[in-house]
Amino acid sequence: MSAFVLALVVGALFALGTFLLLRRDLIRVVWGLAIVSQAANVYLLAMGGIELGGFETVPILAGHGEGVPETTDPVVQALVLTAIVIGFGMTAFALVLSYRVYEEHDTLDASELGDRE
């Protein structure tokens, strides 16, 4: 059941991000890009999976009894954490560029910006 809910959430995030990317307002386009990147991060975490741990996968727990907890792949988590930081920097840079466009042209409407010469 939880895999279905997770797939539904990832699909909804991708759909919302795509919807915002197709808007004319530059701020909504930036938000759409941020939502799509976060949806990709959630998808990667979901595909990383949870495995039944063993002393081979969690060597620090060797000698601490029989029960080893379920574990996830730490490489996926590290990659997603890096992607979150890069996505935050990209979003901040895109918002600064949008502000600069607004200062120069007094509008954030993409169709009006395309008509100007």
Side-chain angles (χ1 to χ4, degrees):
M1 179 66 181
S2 66
F4 176 73
V5 172
L6 193 57
L8 196 63
V9 167
V10 169
L13 283 174
F14 273 116
L16 178 64
T18 303
F19 175 76
L20 288 175
L21 278 173
L22 298 174
R23 300 290 96 197
R24 291 176 14 179
D25 187 22
L26 285 180
I27 299 298
R28 289 186 179 149
V29 170
V30 170
W31 277 110
L33 194 60
I35 290 173
V36 166
S37 70
Q38 294 305 317
N41 292 338
V42 171
Y43 174 73
L44 286 174
L45 280 177
M47 293 299 107
I50 297 176
E51 300 174 3
L52 184 61
F55 294 119
E56 302 85 33
T57 58
V58 189
I60 196 166
L61 294 177
H64 291 285
E66 291 295 318
V68 178
E70 294 180 338
T71 59
T72 60
D73 188 10
V75 175
V76 175
Q77 294 177 357
L79 290 175
V80 168
L81 182 61
T82 304
I84 289 170
V85 172
I86 292 171
F88 176 73
M90 179 191 64
T91 302
F93 182 66
L95 286 174
V96 168
L97 285 179
S98 298
Y99 179 70
R100 181 72 176 143
V101 166
Y102 180 74
E103 281 185 340
E104 289 287 324
H105 301 289
D106 293 326
T107 186
L108 288 175
D109 193 350
S111 64
E112 289 181 23
L113 291 171
D115 294 340
R116 294 182 182 210
E117 301 214 1

